Amino acid sequence: MADPRPADAFKAFEHEGWERVALPYRDAFSSLTTQAIPSLLAAVGAGPGVRVLDVACGPGDAVAAAAKRGAQATGVDFATAMVAQASRLYPGFAFRVGDAEALPFPDSAFDAVVINFGVLHFADPDRALAEAHRVLRPGGRLAFTVWAPPERAVGFAIVLKAIERHGRMDVPLPEGPPFFRFADPDESRRVLSVAGFARAQVRELPLRWRLPAPDALLDAFLEGGVRTRGLLRAQTPAALTAVRETIRVATLRHAHTGGVELPMPAVMSAAEKGGGEGMSGRSRRCYTAALL
């Protein structure tokens, strides 16, 4: 049997991190991460009367967007600070504290589940996907996003290369699952199949990150992230100064009107829970179109 302690340490690290960065996360990343929400909701057929669960809901943006489509939307997050923020931003919506790996909902409670970049932060993402499968009705749909690899997600490439050049990557942080694991379409399809999903499809979403100044890239990760924030904060002051200058120079190559603009594509995976009546022909056509 595998030793559970590394996963427990990573989960505790992530939980503490999100409790700390709830407010700065939205300021730093929401202009980027919210770009994926329309594709996620289209992929699961969110519309009038559809029961949608947003797992790792963060500040609640996907819940609010689903509700605008007429869906019955609920958000769940393991960070109390995130749930409190979502409740302040979107009063009257349903948000609750809960663990993605042990969702506080009965079987078949939802028609659709979305996870916008949350899979990257789960200690046991396979278990979380199995939980999403459990709470979906037969024929229900799941869609989740992760970041594309650094060779395509330029913001990550700039930051990670600067750390590799001037700092250390082997810092004493709890080890988590590979960050870009689900950017591999074959791996996503395999894990979804093991979890019981069918008809998995994977595609890239061409997101772009608009920042007001070159220094804003490093500041976003330093103040609003968790995994990369931990890596950066473990560097020496001298190394971090050199990292900042290298990031500034590299980011300036992407100057854009009013600041900088970085390609930051996401990878979206979507699938259907097998069994039951499934989707109607019309719903299936709409679902397939959303993924093309």
Side-chain angles (χ1 to χ4, degrees), residues 61-216:
D61 298 314
V63 168
K68 285 184 179 179
R69 291 169 171 251
Q72 300 173 18
T74 301
V76 62
D77 199 289
F78 74 163
T80 303
M82 280 294 192
V83 172
Q85 179 182 205
S87 299
R88 287 194 302 271
L89 290 168
Y90 302 109
F93 289 81
F95 298 104
R96 64 182 296 180
V97 176
D99 187 343
E101 297 164 22
L103 290 170
F105 304 103
D107 296 355
S108 304
F110 297 95
D111 304 305
V113 172
V114 295
I115 313 172
N116 198 24
F117 300 104
V119 172
L120 301 165
H121 302 283
F122 298 156
D124 189 347
D126 301 66
R127 178 62 191 160
L129 293 176
E131 274 291 278
H133 184 274
R134 180 184 66 79
V135 302
L136 279 169
R137 64 163 175 81
R141 286 155 280 177
L142 163 74
F144 68 87
T145 49
V146 298
W147 297 115
E151 55 266 26
R152 299 199 298 280
V154 172
F156 280 111
I158 290 173
V159 173
L160 294 175
K161 286 179 181 177
I163 298 171
E164 289 173 354
R165 180 177 175 185
H166 298 289
R168 295 176 51 203
M169 300 296 288
D170 59 336
V171 298
L173 295 175
E175 183 177 357
F179 192 78
F180 296 102
R181 174 187 176 192
F182 291 97
D184 178 348
D186 291 337
E187 177 66 1
S188 278
R189 294 188 188 100
R190 183 192 70 78
V191 175
L192 286 167
S193 178
V194 169
F197 289 97
R199 288 177 281 277
Q201 297 190 43
V202 184
R203 75 177 179 97
E204 193 167 285
L205 306 179
L207 313 187
R208 301 189 71 83
W209 200 0
R210 297 171 184 87
L211 295 165
D215 277 337

Side-chain angles (χ1 to χ4, degrees), residues 158-168 215 218 222 232 235-251:
I158 290 173
V159 173
L160 294 175
K161 286 179 181 177
I163 298 171
E164 289 173 354
R165 180 177 175 185
H166 298 289
R168 295 176 51 203
D215 277 337
L218 179 61
L222 269 174
L232 286 164
Q235 307 302 318
T236 67
L240 192 57
T241 297
V243 164
R244 179 177 290 279
E245 181 57 27
T246 298
I247 290 174
R248 180 185 295 118
V249 171
T251 306

